[in-house]
């Protein structure tokens, strides 16, 4: 099999797949996929629009929510071109530069979403444990600094991935396992030693697990604080402020952990299951997060109803 060295890979292309075995109905499968993308993009843009234009939403909680929406938009827009290109136009080929760029952004927005969810858990802890000092602890300037630090940290973490892929030697016309490029898929196609890629990829994945540990610890502290509140009604009120965030955490981590478990312990099952679960991981959080926050967050829900003329000011 012919190979191409990563130092001269301009003519190297990869082949993406859509839904294997269902190629003849890709055009029909594109309908639910395109609907999910449209709803996800419109939903997150709606969240960002209301947070920007409504002065009453200029609070730390909503700034963090806007960061989550930006991460969701990034995930949707990163995978959309190749996924819809395959389903609508049967465009399977992708050049190495475009592939490495896509995998960088997909992994960047994935780890960024995990980081935002972790800092949102801390935000909920501060709001419940010390509500009187909430606005002095999490000021607008501190929120902005936190956001910049998270972005910088994640860029530094993910930026080596495409360069590590570039140093490898690949077999020509290699098939990837999804309709978009992921680091773990591309490195498996290398004809040279990819041990460094494997180790660094695991370190990058570990960062999202550390965020999950931080989220778990934050909720242990939140539960401890809530149990210290005497009135049951106040306990429920405090916990109610966490429901949207808990849903967002479950929506993000359940598909991620499911994909990891399938990869580790169920490699013998149909590739179709692996592909569908990976699609769920990338598509469901950007779709569901704006829906959950619009339904469960009273301030956002009321502003939307006002704009639609369904609620009096």
């Amino acid at each position: 099999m012919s190979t191409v060295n990563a130092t001269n890979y301009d003519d190297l292309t990869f082949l993406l797949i859509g839904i294997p075995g269902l190629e003849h109905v890709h055009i029909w499968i594109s309908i639910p996929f395109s609907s999910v993308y449209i709803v996800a993009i419109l939903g997150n843009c709606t969240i960002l629009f209301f947070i920007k234009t409504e002065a009453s939403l200029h609070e730390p909680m909503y700034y963090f929510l806007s960061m989550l929406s930006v991460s969701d938009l990034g995930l949707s827009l990163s995978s959309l071109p190749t996924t819809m290109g395959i389903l609508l136009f049967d465009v399977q080929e992708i050049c190495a530069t475009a592939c490495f760029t896509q995998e960088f952004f997909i992994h960047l927005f994935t780890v960024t979403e995990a980081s935002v969810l972790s800092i949102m858990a801390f935000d909920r802890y501060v709001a419940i444990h010390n509500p009187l000092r909430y606005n002095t602890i999490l000021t607008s300037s501190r929120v902005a600094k936190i956001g910049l630090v998270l972005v910088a940290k994640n860029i530094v973490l993910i930026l080596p991935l495409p360069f590590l892929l570039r140093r490898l030697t690949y077999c020509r016309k290699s098939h990837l396992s999804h309709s978009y490029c992921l680091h773990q898929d591309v490195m498996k196609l290398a004809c040279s030693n990819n041990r460094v890629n494997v180790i660094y990829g695991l370190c990058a994945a570990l960062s999202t697990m550390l965020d999950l540990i931080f989220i778990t610890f934050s909720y242990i502290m939140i539960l401890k604080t809530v149990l210290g509140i005497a009135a049951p009604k106040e306990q429920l009120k405090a916990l109610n402020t966490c429901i949207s965030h808990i849903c967002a955490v479950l929506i993000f981590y359940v598909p991620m952990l499911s994909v990891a478990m399938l990869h580790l312990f169920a490699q013998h099952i149909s590739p179709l299951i692996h592909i569908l679960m990976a699609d769920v991981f990338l598509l469901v959080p950007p779709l569901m997060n704006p829906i959950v926050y619009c339904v469960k967050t009273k301030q956002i829900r009321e502003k939307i109803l006002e704009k639609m003329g369904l609620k009096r000011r």
Side-chain angles (χ1 to χ4, degrees), residues 203-256:
C203 292
L206 180 62
S207 70
T208 61
M209 293 299 102
L210 293 176
D211 287 321
L212 179 58
I213 292 172
F214 182 81
I215 292 169
T216 303
F217 176 75
S218 297
Y219 272 99
I220 291 173
M221 299 303 294
I222 288 172
L223 186 60
K224 182 179 178 180
T225 301
V226 169
L227 293 176
I229 300 174
K233 186 176 180 180
E234 293 300 317
Q235 291 179 339
L236 291 175
K237 183 178 179 181
L239 289 174
N240 190 54
T241 65
C242 300
I243 291 178
S244 297
H245 180 256
I246 292 173
C247 290
V249 171
L250 293 175
I251 289 168
F252 179 76
Y253 275 101
V254 169
M256 174 190 283

Side-chain angles (χ1 to χ4, degrees), residues 24 62 101 150 155 159 168-169 199 209 261 276 286 307 310:
H24 59 291
Y62 300 107
T101 301
L150 290 180
I155 289 177
L159 188 58
L168 299 175
T169 301
I199 295 173
M209 293 299 102
M261 292 301 102
L276 291 177
K307 293 294 184 181
L310 300 177

Side-chain angles (χ1 to χ4, degrees), residues 117-259:
L117 288 172
S118 68
I119 201 63
M120 290 176 77
F122 175 72
D123 168 79
R124 290 298 83 208
Y125 169 70
V126 173
I128 293 172
H129 181 71
N130 209 336
L132 297 180
R133 295 188 57 211
Y134 175 73
N135 289 321
T136 59
I137 296 175
L138 290 173
T139 61
S140 297
S141 61
R142 284 179 180 170
V143 170
K145 291 177 182 177
I146 290 172
L148 290 175
V149 169
L150 290 180
V151 171
K153 184 266 290 185
N154 291 326
I155 289 177
V156 170
L157 176 67
I158 300 300
L159 188 58
L161 292 181
F163 293 100
L164 288 174
L165 292 176
R166 182 174 178 142
R167 60 182 280 276
L168 299 175
T169 301
Y170 296 93
C171 303
R172 291 180 181 273
K173 294 287 185 181
S174 299
H175 284 78
L176 295 171
S177 303
H178 301 286
S179 54
Y180 40 81
C181 293
L182 296 176
H183 180 262
Q184 58 268 32
D185 281 341
V186 178
M187 69 179 183
K188 289 178 181 177
L189 301 180
C191 299
S192 57
N193 191 309
N194 63 3
R195 182 175 299 176
V196 174
N197 297 70
V198 172
I199 295 173
Y200 194 85
L202 290 175
C203 292
L206 180 62
S207 70
T208 61
M209 293 299 102
L210 293 176
D211 287 321
L212 179 58
I213 292 172
F214 182 81
I215 292 169
T216 303
F217 176 75
S218 297
Y219 272 99
I220 291 173
M221 299 303 294
I222 288 172
L223 186 60
K224 182 179 178 180
T225 301
V226 169
L227 293 176
I229 300 174
K233 186 176 180 180
E234 293 300 317
Q235 291 179 339
L236 291 175
K237 183 178 179 181
L239 289 174
N240 190 54
T241 65
C242 300
I243 291 178
S244 297
H245 180 256
I246 292 173
C247 290
V249 171
L250 293 175
I251 289 168
F252 179 76
Y253 275 101
V254 169
M256 174 190 283
L257 294 176
S258 299
V259 170

